[in-house]
């Protein structure tokens, strides 16, 4: 109950069993696949967390992925899988009803994610659950991901590269056992009840039509749509890539398993091949690159899914390369909006050819190599590229990126909608409180129970329901306060893990790039807006205080003891002076 499952399980395993200072791409790093008590049993909980020390950031990395692999793993009798070492030759793991086998994968090595999965399903049947990597993971691209079911992806901070470094191409799971549940009938009843409730919500029909693609219009109206490497929050061709353009091109709908509100929008790209779109990938591979044609964006997205890239980081890397070309820091680079050159570079990056070898390293390392003041517009925090919300006029969202436990990702606290609605220009303690509440729910509850947040976030599904199903699944009642303490424990443990792995800490690690503080927006209704550095620091210090961390962002001894993390003190003391 101290860590629950998913992210909590992964962070604890990494602290305990990974040698401090392990090479992220070496044999000592651990690749953890961790389900939670809801995995495979509750609505929208066909998901699993994948975590490891990140080759992109050098700190803790994780993500979650919707896949039959998640549901089948539990049916095969496992809550998770931990992989250590390096295989002598390309391999895959086959798991069936309580047993696992390591098998040769020479015939799969080099294939795209889609081909790899289809070949394994030909062997093990359509009902088998497969997760795998593409060529980008094999070639250790630092922001490669783990993929499944032609469009599902997880593990932004290079979990695909960690898998590739172990020469592990795929894992297949099959099982016909029932996941162990304290009250199986009650879990089933709650499933039926929640599915009916969700499908009856007012926003349901529109969600099924557009899914997260509806956010393009919202972001444009709110001036937060990343455009031209986050220079601007509005894009002149936004209508060409919005949810309605997507609807006109839509040919099918996909979803994670046991989902009752599918959001995978499948369109044809400009060459006629199928691609799955969502807000993040369309914004980062569209407006952020100056590409205003959905068919072009779809092609880039298809390449990313086949080759195994995180689409957010890929969009940030290409945007950075376009700006570096404009500023003459990069020769033979890429111009804004050049989708054909972008396609070439995506393929070259997957195989680390030519300029692709530099792009494979991610924005932070590219900036360090190119110099010329590019660190000011290298859009990342802690080395992880920023996801698709511009923060020139959104200090709480900037703080969410600054303090996310994996680097600049919106998963833990998508506070921007609330912030835009309630007063986007304020710097207040109320915003810090709201941010921590969101991190506790999204990064704590959902990442440890392991389920999709969208019923609650997008349709207003009752959060209390998750505590009910938790009790029915595990037999243990839990209150929000108790769960928040678990979330706080995991956040502080992850911070300790970062400090241990980086050998220290500085406040700069929690601050977003200079662009948002120095270069005001030039276009749109809030032109002239930019963040205030001193006020951001004030909010960050408040955040530290409320988390029980000192003014450097290092957990205090009293906090570590209160959260039952005494076991971290000895190792942390080697790197930082821990304050009482
Ligand atoms: S809403 Fe979307 S992300 Fe969530 S479970 Fe369904 S398909 Fe997956």
């Amino acid at each position: 109950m101290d860590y629950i499952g998913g992210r909590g399980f992964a962070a604890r395993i990494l602290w305990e069993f990974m040698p401090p200072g392990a090479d992220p791409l070496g044999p000592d790093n651990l690749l953890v696949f961790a389900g939670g008590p809801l995995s495979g049993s509750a609505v929208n909980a066909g998901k699993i967390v994948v975590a490891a020390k990140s080759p992109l950031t050098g700190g803790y990395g994780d993500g979650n992925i919707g896949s039959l692999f998640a549901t089948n793993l539990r049916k095969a009798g496992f809550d998770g899988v931990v992989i250590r070492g390096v295989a002598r030759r390309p391999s895959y793991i086959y798991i069936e009803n309580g047993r696992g086998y390591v098998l040769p994968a020479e015939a799969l090595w080099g294939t795209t994610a889609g081909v790899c999965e289809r070949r394994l399903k030909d062997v093990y049947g359509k009902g088998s659950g497969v997760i795998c990597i593409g060529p980008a993971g094999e070639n250790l691209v630092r922001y490669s991901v783990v993929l499944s079911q032609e469009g599902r992806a997880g593990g932004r901070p290079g979990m695909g590269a960690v898998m590739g470094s172990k020469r592990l191409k795929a894992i297949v799971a099959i099982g016909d056992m029932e996941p162990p549940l304290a009250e199986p009938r009650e879990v089933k009843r709650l499933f039926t009840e929640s599915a009916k409730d969700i499908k009856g919500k007012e926003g349901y029909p529109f969600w099924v039509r557009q899914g997260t693609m509806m956010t393009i219009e919202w972001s444009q109206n709110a001036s937060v749509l990343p455009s031209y490497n986050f220079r601007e929050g509005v894009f002149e061709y936004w209508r060409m890539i919005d949810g309605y353009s997507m609807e006109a091109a839509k040919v099918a709908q996909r979803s994670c398993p046991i989902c009752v509100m599918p959001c995978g929008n499948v369109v044809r790209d400009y060459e006629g091949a199928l691609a799955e779109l969502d807000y993040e990938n369309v914004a980062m591979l569209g407006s952020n690159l100056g590409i205003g044609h959905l068919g072009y964006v779809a092609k880039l997205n298809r390449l990313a899914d086949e080759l195994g890239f995180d689409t957010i980081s890929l969009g940030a890397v290409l945007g950075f390369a376009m700006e570096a070309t404009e500023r003459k820091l990069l020769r033979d680079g890429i111009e804004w909006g050049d989708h054909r050159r972008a396609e070439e570079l995506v393929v070259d990056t997957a195989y680390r050819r030519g300029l692709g070898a530099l792009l494979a390293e991610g924005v932070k390392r590219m900036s360090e190599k190119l110099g010329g003041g590019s660190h000011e517009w290298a859009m990342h925090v802690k080395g992880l590229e920023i996801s698709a919300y511009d923060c020139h006029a959104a200090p709480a969202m900037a703080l969410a990126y600054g303090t996310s436990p994996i680097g600049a990702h919106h998963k833990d606290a998508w506070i921007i909608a609330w912030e835009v609605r309630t007063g986007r220009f304020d710097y207040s303690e109320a915003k810090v409180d709201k941010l921590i509440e969101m991190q506790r729910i999204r990064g704590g509850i959902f990442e440890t129970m392991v389920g999709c947040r969208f019923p609650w976030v997008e349709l207003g599904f009752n959060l209390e329901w998750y505590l009910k199903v938790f009790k029915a699944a595990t037999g243990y009642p839990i209150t929000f306060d108790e769960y928040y303490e678990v979330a706080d424990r995991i956040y502080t443990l992850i911070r300790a893990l970062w400090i241990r792995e980086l050998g220290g800490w500085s406040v700069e690690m929690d601050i977003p790039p200079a662009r948002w503080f120095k270069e005001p927006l030039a276009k749109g209704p809030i032109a002239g807006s930019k963040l205030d550095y001193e006020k951001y620091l004030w909010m960050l210090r408040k955040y530290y205080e409320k988390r029980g961390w000192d003014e450097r962002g290092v957990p205090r001894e009293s906090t570590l003891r209160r959260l039952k993390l005494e076991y971290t003190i000895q190792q942390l003391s080697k790197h930082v002076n821990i304050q009482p």
Side-chain angles (χ1 to χ4, degrees), residues 59-104:
Y60 174 81
D62 74 14
N64 70 55
I65 177 167
S67 169
L68 266 181
F69 172 76
T71 51
N72 284 6
L73 191 66
R74 296 209 82 200
K75 287 185 188 163
F78 294 94
D79 290 331
V81 183
V82 181
I83 295 141
R84 183 207 292 275
V86 175
R88 275 193 292 277
R89 56 183 185 170
S91 303
Y92 73 100
I93 295 174
Y94 172 62
I95 295 170
E96 182 180 6
N97 290 331
R99 297 210 173 145
Y101 309 85
V102 180
L103 299 166

Side-chain angles (χ1 to χ4, degrees), residues 44 47 152 207 255-256 259 261-263 452 454:
N44 292 31
K47 292 202 167 217
R152 324 243 77 75
W207 171 265
S255 78
C256 308
C259 170
M261 47 182 286
C263 73
C452 173
F454 284 145

